[in-house]
């Protein structure tokens, strides 16, 4: 996310300057803190490891609730 841009809106759009690492982490923390309100997603884990086979990570892992309907 090195090219992420954030903006402040107050009748006009103004770019908020910042370094990519600081902006990305603070945005991730803000987003994770409000996943339920923003998307209806329950937060499970931050920086979740995908294990030794894939050797990656999931920045934000959450769970939605699905309602099953039967007829």
């Amino acid at each position: 996310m090195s090219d992420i841009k954030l903006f402040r809106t107050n009748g006009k759009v103004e770019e908020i300057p910042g370094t990519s690492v600081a902006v990305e982490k603070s945005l991730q923390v803000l987003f994770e803190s409000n996943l339920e309100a923003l998307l209806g997603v329950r937060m499970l884990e931050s920086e979740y490891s995908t294990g030794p086979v894939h050797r990656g990570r999931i920045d934000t892992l959450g769970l939605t609730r699905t309602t099953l309907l039967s007829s």
Side-chain angles (χ1 to χ4, degrees):
M1 275 195 161
S2 61
D3 59 349
I4 188 170
K5 291 187 176 192
L6 297 177
F7 298 90
R8 179 179 296 117
T9 59
N10 190 15
K12 65 176 187 169
V13 176
E14 178 184 346
E15 186 175 352
I16 301 170
T19 61
S20 61
V21 173
V23 170
E24 180 180 3
K25 186 60 181 173
S26 63
L27 183 59
Q28 180 181 350
V29 169
L30 176 65
F31 196 79
E32 288 175 347
S33 302
N34 294 284
L35 271 180
E36 187 78 38
L38 291 168
L39 302 173
V41 173
R42 190 177 83 205
M43 176 70 180
L44 293 179
E45 189 77 35
S46 183
E47 307 296 331
Y48 180 80
S49 171
T50 59
V53 174
H54 298 289
R55 299 164 68 183
R57 67 178 167 81
I58 299 171
D59 290 341
T60 304
L61 183 61
L63 184 66
T64 61
R65 188 174 81 159
T66 303
T67 303
L68 298 176
L69 300 175
S70 62
S71 53

